[in-house]
Amino acid sequence: MSKAGAVSSLTLVRQLWEYAGLPTRVLENTIRQGGLELVHDPSVYGQAVRSSFQITAVAQACTATIALAAQYYKRLIQARTKLGGEEEDVVLGPVSVDARHAVAEWKGWTRIYLDRGATGVGVGEMIRDSIASDSDEAKQVLGMDAHAVADWDSLAGLYRTRPAEAREVAGIVRIHTNFPHHKLGILQLLGLVPNSKHWTDQDIHEVFAQFQHSHLQERLDGWDAFEFERRAHERGLCVTAYRTLSEWEQSPMGEAVRRWIGENGGSPFRMSRLTASTSHTPRAHTATERLRVIDMSRVIAGPYSTRTLAAHGAEVMLISSAALPNLPLRELDTARGKRTAYAHLERGEKLPRKMRRLVEGADVVSQAYRPGGLVERGLGPGEVQALRPGVVYAELCAFGFTGPWAATRAYDSLTQTACGMNHLEGRSYCEHTGQHEVEPKALPVQALDYAAGSLLCLATLAAKCRGILEQMPATSGGEGDQQKGWHVQVSLASTAEWIKSLGQVHGEAAWETPPHHVLPVDADQLAAMASSYRVRGLKSHAQDYERQDVFVLAIRHAAVSAPDSGAEDEDDLRWSVPAHLGVDTLRWN
């Protein structure tokens, strides 16, 4: 019997497949022939995590639909190569996704294991002998800055502001300070640090160490929540005011996001065409099973999208700049299976030759900088399409591509707070526990990040599939234009609207029956979900050789099996993680 209010993961798989514009008969053939197995579907077994939102079904459905789309892309490549057209009755699979594994992956859990030379050590033993990724010992082994932030900076979080009149909720803001330039900006806005300080100053961490949550709270007591949000946005800082659902829906930002989704037929992502350029003769490019993906994203959502592509066999090149702050502890999880190189891109200047060649050889360019940020550096969708006709340009941002917050910087936690999700979650919990005052309650995992990254990944694969289908006589007469590219767009806010539209689960089904912990408490269950990833590019202290004895333990992608001991050399990269950004050369293998 279905749990009251719980959405079926299979229903969401069908919905996402339709949003992606992929052939219905392929999915239904696969389901009918038993090619899709959804283990612990929440509509039967209940939620795998404590929340009023349908996070379990979203995680399982996103993971399964991506796996099917990845298989379909490879099948289409094979059909075009061998048969000259699509197979009549395509059946994909087998694809098996456990809901509990899918949710656990969204926790972003990692540990560090140091190989002591023992043979036959299993993942369970590695976990028992591992050390915390954010421990001083791990940072020293990995050569990380001692100040590297783990999940949350000490000053990040919720703060009370001046009491709000005629509002249903108290005045509260959420602040994100994981990056040093954002942290410094908040301290300067509150008048705690002189404007002359810069985040690259040698003593900046000594400056940061002077302040605790209470120092910021004392200053924010005199601010109006919306005024502080506005002033922070003017400075490019990461702050949102705590809103109810009705406040969000009545705001210009909320209206813009919902209008954008409505134009997509209800889909949280958009897939549009990029017109071919005739300005120059492009290099010849033949689609292969292994996609080449340029990843220009940071934090979680964008990197998770490309990490998922890597898990399904793509060659992913993660590009960053040595001049940008980064989150090395987070990258232990999100950079798995990728190569990584630095590139220096100046505003208003031509692309460096190596970067240009990389783009010309890419199938996908995936980026998650603020809208327009890469256009200034010659890497907007039009510029990339001109260099590589037929490319998929995948783009992710926080609050959407229209409206007054289109260029506003934000992250998962800030989006939850702004769009009413923290209030809805808190109200559901309050009603169950009998508390008098509704407190903002965050989701148990950063579901907007992981779901948005999943949607970006799915739409990217769907664009590749649809591009091939257009060339096949059996589907479109073979009249598709190979020079046309695709522009894929998704935002954290559009993802939030989709998740909210699925409804909520309340009472015991949300707050009592599901496991208390996102990760399995049982060691064997955790080991079954985890894999080891060799850290590559890590120099010994003597700097004369690369260490081979350091591994990251992490939750394996829920649609991918654990590696065999005799894995092919070309797949070794999938089971490794770069020690830091920039360890590789800026070119394709």
Side-chain angles (χ1 to χ4, degrees):
M1 180 180 293
S2 296
K3 301 289 183 180
V7 171
S8 164
S9 296
L10 182 58
T11 297
L12 294 191
V13 169
R14 286 188 165 110
Q15 183 188 70
L16 291 172
W17 195 263
E18 180 181 357
Y19 284 159
L22 296 173
T24 302
R25 63 182 177 81
V26 173
L27 177 61
E28 295 305 323
N29 284 346
T30 300
I31 294 171
R32 187 165 50 251
Q33 296 296 323
L36 175 62
E37 181 184 30
L38 298 171
V39 182
H40 296 125
D41 187 315
S43 65
V44 178
Y45 293 92
Q47 300 266 65
V49 64
R50 293 189 176 186
S51 174
S52 67
F53 289 101
Q54 312 276 359
I55 295 173
T56 305
V58 168
Q60 186 176 35
C62 284
T63 304
T65 312
I66 288 169
L68 291 171
Q71 281 197 14
Y72 190 41
Y73 170 73
K74 293 176 182 178
R75 184 71 64 85
L76 288 172
I77 289 289
Q78 294 167 359
R80 188 176 67 175
T81 302
K82 298 176 182 178
L83 306 176
E86 187 186 15
E87 297 175 53
E88 288 295 324
D89 296 306
V90 176
V91 177
L92 304 173
V95 167
S96 179
V97 177
D98 189 317
R100 297 169 185 174
H101 189 157
V103 171
E105 184 185 356
W106 286 15
K107 189 64 177 175
W109 172 88
T110 60
R111 301 275 295 181
I112 303 299
Y113 173 74
L114 304 178
D115 186 1
R116 309 296 184 185
T119 59
V121 179
V123 174
E125 293 177 80
M126 289 182 173
I127 293 174
R128 284 190 290 273
D129 294 338
S130 64
I131 58 177
S133 300
D134 60 348
S135 66
D136 291 341
E137 181 182 0
K139 290 178 181 178
Q140 184 176 15
V141 168
L142 294 167
M144 285 185 185
D145 187 328
H147 301 287
V149 175
D151 287 336
W152 297 105
D153 176 70
S154 60
L155 298 184
L158 296 170
Y159 290 84
R160 295 271 176 178
T161 58
R162 193 170 64 226
E165 297 181 5
R167 289 190 67 204
E168 181 183 343
V169 295
I172 296 174
V173 293
R174 186 181 291 278
I175 296 174
H176 195 283
T177 54
N178 282 15
F179 284 116
H181 56 307
H182 293 157
K183 185 173 185 174
L184 177 61
I186 292 294
L187 294 173
Q188 290 173 331
L189 176 57
L190 292 174
L192 293 169
V193 173
N195 288 332
S196 59
K197 293 299 294 181
H198 192 269
W199 70 270
T200 58
D201 291 348
Q202 289 188 348
D203 66 341
I204 195 63
H205 291 293
E206 296 174 12
V207 173
F208 289 159
Q210 300 174 27
F211 300 101
Q212 299 176 0
H213 192 281
S214 59
H215 295 110
L216 278 68
Q217 183 59 72
E218 183 178 351
R219 295 297 177 97
L220 281 162
D221 283 339
W223 280 83
D224 172 76
F226 295 124
E227 176 63 14
F228 185 71
E229 175 188 76
R230 184 186 67 80
R231 291 282 299 279
H233 288 181
E234 288 175 351
R235 297 189 179 204
L237 304 176
C238 298
V239 174
T240 54
Y242 172 52
R243 287 174 171 81
T244 65
L245 178 62
S246 61
E247 286 178 326
W248 168 254
E249 290 181 341
Q250 294 169 20
S251 71
M253 302 80 68
E255 290 176 352
V257 173
R258 293 199 315 282
R259 188 181 309 113
W260 187 85
I261 292 173
E263 293 169 356
N264 301 338
S267 172
F269 56 85
R270 177 174 292 182
M271 301 170 63
S272 55
R273 300 312 299 263
L274 293 172
T275 305
S277 171
T278 58
S279 60
H280 76 292
T281 302
R283 298 174 63 196
H285 192 96
T286 302
T288 62
E289 286 189 32
R290 191 174 198 193
L291 293 172
R292 284 179 167 178
V293 180
I294 293 176
D295 176 9
M296 302 189 73
S297 62
R298 300 194 295 166
V299 193
I300 297 177
Y304 179 70
S305 175
T306 51
R307 194 196 81 190
T308 304
L309 289 172
H312 285 290
E315 180 184 357
V316 178
M317 174 63 78
L318 169 58
I319 298 174
S320 188
S321 168
L324 289 175
N326 59 60
L327 300 172
L329 289 169
R330 176 61 64 184
E331 287 148 10
L332 292 176
D333 180 47
T334 59
R336 285 184 277 151
K338 302 177 185 179
R339 296 170 63 234
T340 171
Y342 285 138
H344 185 65
L345 308 177
E346 290 284 357
R347 284 191 180 95
E349 294 189 5
K350 290 184 178 181
L351 284 179
R353 183 179 60 84
K354 288 185 178 180
M355 188 67 198
R356 183 184 180 94
R357 291 296 296 269
L358 199 77
V359 172
E360 289 175 341
D363 298 291
V364 176
V365 173
S366 187
Q367 68 102 345
Y369 288 91
R370 62 177 176 81
L374 290 185
V375 174
E376 301 166 351
R377 291 167 171 79
L379 282 173
E383 292 84 357
V384 171
Q385 163 68 5
L387 284 174
R388 168 55 174 96
V391 74
V392 175
Y393 190 93
E395 189 173 12
L396 184 146
C397 69
F399 288 110
F401 302 89
T402 60
W405 280 9
T408 298
R409 295 174 176 86
Y411 303 98
D412 178 302
S413 59
L414 300 176
T415 309
Q416 287 185 40
T417 302
C419 75
M421 292 189 83
N422 283 174
H423 181 255
L424 290 171
E425 185 87 324
R427 187 172 65 184
S428 176
Y429 184 74
C430 179
E431 290 173 352
H432 177 67
T433 58
Q435 295 178 358
H436 295 294
E437 183 179 358
V438 177
E439 296 285 345
K441 188 172 180 59
L443 302 182
V445 295
Q446 298 198 62
L448 300 188
D449 269 333
Y450 286 99
S454 297
L455 296 176
L456 190 72
C457 180
L458 170 61
T460 296
L461 289 167
K464 295 301 298 181
C465 291
R466 288 169 60 178
I468 296 173
L469 286 170
E470 289 180 357
Q471 309 304 315
M472 290 184 167
T475 55
S476 65
E479 297 179 355
D481 187 350
Q482 297 184 52
Q483 300 297 300
K484 281 188 176 182
W486 292 85
H487 189 189
V488 170
Q489 295 173 299
V490 66
S491 69
L492 300 181
S494 66
T495 302
E497 294 301 312
W498 174 57
I499 293 176
K500 287 185 290 185
S501 75
L502 302 177
Q504 291 174 269
V505 178
H506 299 291
E508 291 187 359
W511 305 113
E512 298 290 342
T513 306
H516 185 70
H517 300 282
V518 177
L519 294 173
V521 176
D522 182 82
D524 291 335
Q525 291 181 7
L526 179 61
M529 296 179 181
S531 286
S532 62
Y533 299 79
R534 183 179 64 82
V535 177
R536 59 182 189 82
L538 182 63
K539 298 294 184 181
S540 68
H541 292 301
Q543 296 291 307
D544 56 354
Y545 68 93
E546 181 176 326
R547 295 186 63 169
Q548 304 287 327
D549 62 335
V550 183
F551 293 82
V552 170
L553 303 174
I555 303 299
R556 184 177 62 256
H557 185 55
V560 175
S561 300
D564 296 327
S565 57
E568 298 290 337
D569 288 345
E570 65 180 9
D571 290 332
D572 283 350
L573 189 66
R574 294 171 60 195
W575 307 104
S576 70
V577 60
H580 54 80
L581 298 180
V583 302
D584 298 296
T585 304
L586 192 66
R587 66 168 184 263
W588 298 114
N589 274 346

